[in-house]
């Protein structure tokens, strides 16, 4: 990883709300091929993409990797955690960077929900969308995860309980975050002690865990917005890819979920081998390979 070429910056996207981001220029000798926007999930930050930024840059892309509001080095505001607002943050980030051409958006977990919202609400800014490893609020898969799969997805409810969740987790962030990495990773060696240390430090920051829970508390509003959007404007027609870990439970329902929000023939589902939930860390090589294959198909067509 060539950290020296990663520019760490912050942008104010609304009064008192700053978004921290990494800006890595293309490392190819050829002209820049476009921009890739990477959006992380929980319990992670932009750090989750540490293995894939340089490979994308070497392939000729400028890579923008923000911490979404409430996470990492970004501000910890009191509100604004619907995925449509979080997507708007990134549109404003692109505007501030004077990136006006459509970008390739890749979102994982919570970042997948934000990526979908960005593709739905700001389609002129999105060249392609690659999202997965999340039950999208507003779909039947999301409702099933809150009910049928409630034990596996216990945190969807737990995070939504005001005050109590924060009181129980504060001071125990390492225990809590470790649970997710140990439970839903296949290649558990991919999250080393120093990686866990990084995430724990991020979520021990004042306000960070509160914001993380607010992201989940917004799910019901997200579901309402998604259903209203599909009802009013129809399913998305943008080229879409779903990357799901071959060992992840989310793979089983990925096709069903995508069929509810994307037009038939506009998306594909790929099972990433040797990986469960944390694909960019468990199998970064396949994450990059499949993402670039999809982007190149979208931009230049089938070979």
């Amino acid at each position: 990883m060539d950290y020296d070429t990663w520019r760490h910056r912050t942008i104010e996207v609304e009064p008192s709300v700053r978004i921290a981001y990494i800006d890595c220029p293309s490392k190819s000798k050829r002209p820049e091929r476009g921009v890739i926007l990477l959006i992380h999930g929980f319990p992670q930050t932009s750090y989750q993409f540490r293995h894939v930024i340089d490979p994308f840059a070497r392939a000729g892309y400028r890579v923008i990797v923000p911490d979404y509001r409430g996470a990492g080095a970004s501000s910890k505001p009191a509100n604004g955690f619907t995925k449509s607002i979080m997507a708007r943050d990134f549109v404003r980030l692109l505007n501030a960077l004077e990136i006006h051409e459509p970008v390739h958006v890749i979102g994982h977990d919570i970042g997948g929900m934000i990526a979908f919202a960005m593709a739905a609400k700001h389609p002129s800014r999105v060249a392609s969308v690659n999202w997965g490893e999340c039950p999208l609020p507003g779909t039947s898969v999301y409702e099933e995860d809150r009910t049928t799969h409630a034990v596996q997805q216990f945190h969807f409810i737990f995070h939504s309980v005001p005050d109590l969740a924060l009181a129980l987790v504060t001071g125990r962030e390492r225990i809590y975050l470790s649970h997710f990495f140990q439970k839903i990773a296949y290649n558990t060696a991919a999250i080393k002690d120093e990686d866990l240390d990084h995430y724990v430090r991020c979520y021990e920051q004042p306000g960070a865990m509160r914001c993380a829970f607010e992201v989940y508390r917004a799910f019901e509003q997200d579901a309402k917005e998604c259903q209203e959007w599909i009802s009013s404007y129809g399913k998305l027609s943008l080229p879409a890819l779903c990357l799901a870990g071959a060992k992840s439970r989310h793979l089983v329902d990925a096709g069903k979920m995508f069929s509810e929000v994307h037009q038939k023939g506009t998306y594909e589902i790929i099972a990433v081998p040797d990986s469960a939930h944390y694909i960019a860390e468990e199998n970064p090589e396949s994450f990059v390979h499949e993402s670039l294959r999809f982007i190149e198909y979208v931009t230049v067509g089938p070979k």
Side-chain angles (χ1 to χ4, degrees):
M1 290 176 282
D2 186 6
Y3 293 112
D4 291 339
T5 62
W6 299 5
R7 298 188 290 260
H8 293 260
R9 300 287 187 271
T10 59
I11 290 287
E12 189 171 69
V13 294
E14 65 182 54
S16 300
V17 177
R18 297 182 306 278
I19 295 296
Y21 65 95
I22 296 166
D23 185 351
C24 180
S26 167
K27 297 184 179 181
S28 171
K29 294 181 179 179
R30 298 179 180 179
E32 182 183 294
R33 304 177 69 181
V35 176
I36 293 175
L37 175 68
L38 299 172
I39 312 175
H40 68 87
F42 173 85
Q44 297 159 294
T45 67
S46 56
Y47 181 80
Q48 81 171 77
F49 295 115
R50 62 197 176 279
H51 301 308
V52 304
I53 294 173
D54 283 343
F56 283 137
R58 287 195 295 269
Y61 294 90
R62 181 181 180 183
V63 188
I64 308 296
V65 197
D67 291 326
Y68 58 60
R69 65 164 61 201
S74 290
S75 294
K76 312 294 185 289
N79 49 42
F81 293 99
T82 61
K83 307 312 161 288
S84 57
I85 290 177
M86 296 172 81
R88 186 185 67 191
D89 288 343
F90 296 148
V91 171
R92 290 176 174 177
L93 169 62
L94 295 175
N95 289 342
L97 295 175
E98 298 185 348
I99 298 172
H100 301 297
E101 70 274 18
V103 303
H104 301 285
V105 182
I106 302 177
H108 168 261
D109 186 78
I110 298 296
M113 300 176 187
I114 300 170
F116 177 84
M118 189 169 171
K121 302 293 181 68
H122 308 277
S124 66
R125 308 304 298 271
V126 179
S128 68
V129 61
N130 172 349
W131 67 278
E133 282 299 317
C134 63
L136 183 71
T139 65
S140 63
V141 172
Y142 166 74
E143 293 302 327
E144 290 167 6
D145 268 15
R146 289 173 57 87
T147 53
T148 306
H149 305 298
V151 174
Q152 170 75 26
Q153 301 294 120
F154 79 96
H155 56 296
F156 278 32
I157 305 301
F158 178 62
H159 289 185
S160 299
V161 179
D163 301 329
L164 179 63
L166 187 60
L168 293 176
V169 172
T170 299
R172 303 177 181 89
E173 290 86 357
R174 190 178 191 87
I175 295 173
Y176 194 61
L177 269 59
S178 295
H179 167 83
F180 293 100
F181 292 119
Q182 293 169 0
K183 177 182 176 183
I184 55 178
Y186 173 71
N187 176 16
T188 55
I191 311 296
K192 299 179 173 58
D193 286 343
E194 57 265 33
D195 302 324
L196 179 59
D197 289 344
H198 178 90
Y199 291 131
V200 170
R201 285 195 302 271
C202 287
Y203 283 94
E204 285 178 336
Q205 295 179 82
M209 198 60 79
R210 171 186 57 78
C211 290
F213 293 165
E214 292 292 345
V215 168
Y216 284 78
R217 289 192 189 108
F219 280 0
E220 287 299 279
Q221 179 61 31
D222 295 332
K224 180 181 178 182
E225 290 183 10
C226 178
Q227 291 169 347
E228 290 177 348
W229 185 266
I230 297 297
S231 177
S232 298
Y233 300 99
K235 299 177 183 180
L236 271 64
S237 60
L238 280 167
L241 173 68
C242 174
L243 294 183
K247 304 294 184 178
S248 171
R249 59 169 296 275
H250 292 298
L251 174 62
V252 175
D253 293 323
K256 175 183 177 182
M257 179 174 65
F258 266 60
S259 71
E260 293 180 16
V261 295
H262 290 278
Q263 292 182 15
K264 184 178 180 180
T266 63
Y267 63 88
E268 61 176 314
I269 312 294
I270 297 293
V272 179
D274 301 319
S275 175
H277 185 60
Y278 305 104
I279 302 170
E281 291 171 295
E282 295 183 63
N283 190 346
E285 294 82 6
S286 291
F287 180 90
V288 169
H289 172 77
E290 293 296 347
S291 297
L292 289 176
R293 177 196 58 79
F294 169 66
I295 289 172
E296 291 177 12
Y297 174 83
V298 168
T299 54
V300 303
K303 294 182 179 180

